[in-house]
Amino acid sequence: MPEGIDEIFRRAKEGKPLFVNRDALSPEFVPSHLPFRDPQTRAVAQILAPILRGSKPSNLLLYGKTGTGKTAVANYVLAKLKAEANNPNLVLAYVNTRLADGEYRTLADFARHLDLSKGKQIPLTGLAVGEVVDRISENIRENKKKVVLVLDEIDYLVKLFGDDILYSFTRSGNRLSPGFLAIVGISNDLKFKEGLDPRVLSSMSEEELVFPPYTVDELREILTERAAVAFRPSVASPAAINLCAAMAGSEHGDARRAIDLLRIAGEVAERDGLHGIDDSCIRKASDKMEVDRVDEAIRSLPVQNKAILYAVSRFDGGTNTGELYLAYSGLCRRLGIETLTQRRLSGILGDLDLLGLVEASVVSKGRRGRTKKIRLLIGRDTLEKTLAEDPAFGAAG
DNA sequence: CCTCCACTGGAAACCTAGGCTC
DNA sequence: GAGCCTAGGTTTCCAGTGGAGG
């Protein structure tokens, strides 16, 4: 029984807004102090402090799983430094290499912070990577810039594109003088060092810090603190905060997830016209986060991946590569789009598996060969609803 | 124990769309 | 305009393979 529009409006008018300051629970929010990260904050500050005297700090590596406060600590210290320094030649740059997606764009993002002179700017594409490195180096040298570059998710960069950039930057000391470049690497993966050239490694890891996951107790306190700023009093009860902390903490002490969960639970409660967050809001919020993730993942897929996903959804109880390819080719013909090779389909299947949209595992059927056993991991109706938004699909079905 | 299927998945080449320099 | 460069996605080629059925 869908609730009437009147009911929704009535609730909206009656219910008081629960949020005072929603931003305090947004992912970008940098709080005025970072609980349980004092040692790390201090250490980072100490390592970077020489830059205030104009000398080059050590390169630094920060390790820890997602949501353990690495990025927050780095940005926090950077912000303080910027406020303290008051020196136009000091450049504090932050680049997330996964969002930048690629060697070239990581460099281009970095270059934006440097304010390159006209004619030396970095276009979207076209330059050799070496040329970009040269332009950046030249800019640092000529303007005597003191640069701290934070490379977030540096493991991603290294895993996919190797350590060439790091190599050229860590070994470029003299070429930059009298300016310099110090690198702060942030990694989710403790093993990422294994892929580094030993020379890069010794230079990059002059200093290292490990960020342990938050315990459930710590998460609870973080949430309590944020909730006090974000919500009206008594909106987020200790019990509600406990549940959020427990649900996010059971995974791996991920503070970001815990905060997202609390924010969305608050939005759910507000929408339902409640005066506070209860268990059911948090459960709904948790479900919503999952649906949103899937929705967004499907939406941002290229047409071909969508077509393959759709083809997978046509089979109840799973299928295999050969069978799927047949179905997929037929679908392409009907939709009037290009048909890719089976090899490519196999690769895309791997991508979809990585996204958690399908499960594709190799199985051997003995004499009858090996193949991938493929199964859709998401609801068929969600998929169809999301795919219908794509004009290329419109009336598929 | 051996065969042999129906693929897998690595490697390299190719294509497109961008941009550089000379 | 020629001759380079880049990123990404794709195709082509092919050696490799887990294990049920012989």
Side-chain angles (χ1 to χ4, degrees):
Chain A
M1 196 62 168
E3 62 182 340
I5 268 193
D6 298 340
E7 174 68 8
I8 296 178
F9 287 164
R10 189 184 59 76
R11 282 189 189 178
K13 270 198 286 189
E14 269 178 17
K16 288 185 188 160
L18 304 181
F19 287 97
V20 185
N21 177 9
R22 197 178 298 246
D23 291 343
L25 294 175
S26 86
E28 297 85 27
F29 184 76
V30 181
S32 56
H33 91 278
L34 298 164
F36 311 110
R37 287 294 175 256
D38 276 354
Q40 285 83 3
T41 310
R42 237 180 260 256
V44 173
Q46 205 155 57
I47 291 160
L48 295 184
I51 201 165
L52 291 174
R53 299 193 305 270
S55 44
K56 180 185 179 306
S58 297
N59 292 325
L60 170 64
L61 277 180
L62 307 181
Y63 288 112
K65 299 219 170 108
T66 39
T68 50
K70 306 178 297 294
T71 306
V73 165
N75 281 328
Y76 179 81
V77 175
L78 243 48
K80 291 270 180 198
L81 271 180
K82 195 164 251 167
E84 195 70 32
N86 194 21
N87 174 351
N89 286 336
L90 180 66
V91 179
L92 304 170
Y94 170 90
V95 178
N96 182 312
T97 66
R98 192 169 54 81
L99 294 184
D101 196 22
E103 208 172 20
Y104 187 89
R105 270 186 270 171
T106 299
L107 286 170
D109 266 18
F110 172 35
R112 278 215 319 271
H113 289 274
L114 287 171
D115 227 355
L116 298 190
S117 50
K118 269 205 196 100
K120 295 284 179 173
Q121 277 149 355
I122 311 297
L124 284 165
T125 163
L127 289 184
V129 169
E131 170 67 17
V132 180
V133 172
D134 284 350
R135 287 190 189 185
I136 290 172
S137 306
E138 187 184 318
N139 180 273
I140 294 175
R141 173 163 40 82
E142 287 184 350
N143 300 299
K144 304 184 180 65
K145 283 185 179 157
K146 325 276 187 204
V147 185
V148 176
L149 170 61
V150 177
L151 288 175
D152 205 347
E153 312 206 42
I154 194 172
D155 46 327
Y156 179 88
L157 180 76
V158 171
K159 205 175 295 166
L160 267 71
F161 307 98
D163 55 7
D164 296 356
I165 301 188
L166 298 181
Y167 187 82
S168 38
F169 279 141
T170 52
R171 316 227 82 220
S172 59
N174 298 333
R175 285 201 296 145
L176 303 180
S177 168
F180 60 74
L181 170 65
I183 298 180
V184 177
I186 301 182
S187 167
N188 295 319
D189 182 0
L190 290 151
K191 286 184 303 184
F192 111 100
K193 288 199 291 187
E194 288 167 14
L196 288 180
D197 181 299
R199 283 166 296 185
V200 176
L201 178 59
S202 69
S203 163
M204 272 303 296
S205 56
E206 288 167 337
E207 301 278 356
E208 288 184 29
L209 278 180
V210 176
F211 286 60
Y214 293 106
T215 64
V216 173
D217 287 342
E218 287 170 346
L219 285 180
R220 185 190 310 137
E221 205 166 317
I222 292 170
L223 288 182
T224 308
E225 214 164 281
R226 295 282 191 104
V229 184
F231 293 113
R232 288 168 173 282
S234 82
V235 166
S237 66
I241 285 174
N242 267 343
L243 184 59
C244 280
M247 281 176 78
S250 64
E251 289 292 314
H252 40 266
D254 183 340
R256 188 178 347 149
R257 211 185 129 71
I259 290 170
D260 280 348
L261 189 59
L262 185 61
R263 187 190 69 247
I264 293 169
E267 284 162 4
V268 169
E270 198 169 68
R271 201 192 54 212
D272 288 355
L274 304 177
H275 295 291
I277 298 168
D278 61 18
D279 285 12
S280 79
C281 297
I282 296 170
R283 299 237 156 69
K284 277 189 208 162
S286 178
D287 292 346
K288 183 177 181 323
M289 279 168 79
E290 180 55 22
V291 171
D292 284 357
R293 190 188 70 81
V294 169
D295 238 49
E296 188 46 46
I298 297 173
R299 205 164 320 190
S300 57
L301 246 30
V303 185
Q304 289 293 349
N305 299 38
K306 285 180 181 170
I308 291 169
L309 197 57
Y310 182 76
V312 174
S313 79
R314 295 298 87 192
F315 295 92
D316 283 314
T319 179
N320 57 54
T321 310
E323 200 178 37
L324 176 66
Y325 188 66
L326 245 58
Y328 157 77
S329 324
L331 176 65
C332 287
R333 233 171 294 125
R334 264 191 295 141
L335 293 176
I337 60 177
E338 234 182 311
T339 310
L340 303 179
T341 56
Q342 185 164 319
R343 175 71 188 84
R344 185 66 192 122
L345 176 129
S346 182
I348 291 178
L349 231 31
D351 294 346
L352 295 176
D353 182 299
L354 228 60
L355 285 170
L357 298 175
V358 305
E359 183 190 55
S361 52
V362 280
V363 293
S364 176
K365 295 200 256 173
R367 182 98 346 151
R368 291 167 54 222
R370 309 169 77 201
T371 184
K372 272 189 174 123
K373 201 178 104 201
I374 304 150
R375 197 165 59 90
L376 195 66
L377 286 181
I378 54 178
R380 198 187 283 185
D381 15 336
T382 324
L383 174 66
E384 280 173 14
K385 210 164 62 198
T386 312
L387 283 186
E389 292 168 16
D390 189 320
F393 281 81

